[in-house]
Amino acid sequence: MNKVMLIGRLTRDPELRYTQSGTAVASFSLAVDRRFSNQNGEREADFINCVAWNKSAEFVANYFHKGKQMALEGRLQVRSYEGNDGQRRWVTEVVAEQIEFVGSKNDNNSGGGRQDYQNTNQNAAPTGSNLGLGEEIVFDDNDLPF
């Protein structure tokens, strides 16, 4: 089974592109807090590369930006390509299959709460209800370490 579930904040605005065949693809990175502190008592985060396709890609590009909190369900993918220098490069990323808003209504320009978008059902419209996942973390973009 290959299933990944993340809650984190976008480290940069999503990058929306289109393939030659017109398929939308969005690349973004999530900062996901670890549950424990390091030896100095500081909380650390992992920075995880993610990709969304088709309508999910457009959804991410339209409604999310740097610092916005997101819940994501997807699968881990490892792929390789040959770089310009002829060297083989490996990329590990999460392919998003379901994306949801997390946070308060004031935190999300779309009206907040919960918005679902499942990549597997391209005709599905976002739904609205209260997500209720954990506590909201309030911070300023200047608090991000990047």
Side-chain angles (χ1 to χ4, degrees):
M1 179 185 314
N2 183 355
K3 188 170 198 162
V4 176
M5 294 170 50
L6 303 170
I7 296 176
R9 293 196 182 269
L10 271 74
T11 62
R12 57 182 161 75
D13 290 339
E15 180 184 330
L16 180 65
R17 301 177 315 279
Y18 290 88
T19 64
Q20 289 180 344
S21 62
T23 303
V25 57
S27 300
F28 54 97
S29 180
L30 285 180
V32 179
D33 286 335
R34 295 183 180 173
R35 290 184 163 239
F36 52 87
S37 300
N38 64 18
Q39 291 178 339
N40 298 328
E42 299 167 341
R43 295 281 303 266
E44 293 181 350
D46 293 301
F47 301 93
I48 301 171
N49 293 323
C50 303
V51 63
W53 291 88
N54 302 311
K55 297 285 185 186
S56 292
E58 292 171 342
F59 176 71
V60 168
N62 288 328
Y63 294 102
F64 290 89
H65 55 81
K66 178 182 176 180
K68 196 138 198 178
Q69 197 171 24
M70 170 192 289
L72 178 149
E73 182 179 326
R75 62 183 171 81
L76 193 62
Q77 172 177 280
V78 180
R79 60 184 173 84
S80 67
Y81 67 94
E82 188 172 312
N84 293 337
D85 59 1
Q87 295 290 320
R88 172 85 35 214
R89 307 242 191 260
W90 294 89
V91 177
T92 303
E93 60 198 357
V94 174
V95 178
E97 295 171 351
Q98 182 174 341
I99 298 163
E100 300 175 6
F101 288 123
V102 178
S104 71
K105 291 182 181 183
N106 295 334
D107 189 37
N108 294 307
N109 296 335
S110 66
R114 176 181 179 169
Q115 293 286 329
D116 287 342
Y117 200 88
Q118 295 185 15
N119 196 33
T120 56
N121 185 354
Q122 297 301 325
N123 297 322
T127 61
S129 67
N130 188 2
L131 183 60
L133 291 176
E135 293 181 39
E136 178 182 350
I137 300 171
V138 179
F139 74 100
D140 182 341
D141 279 353
N142 294 328
D143 292 335
L144 295 173
F146 33 82

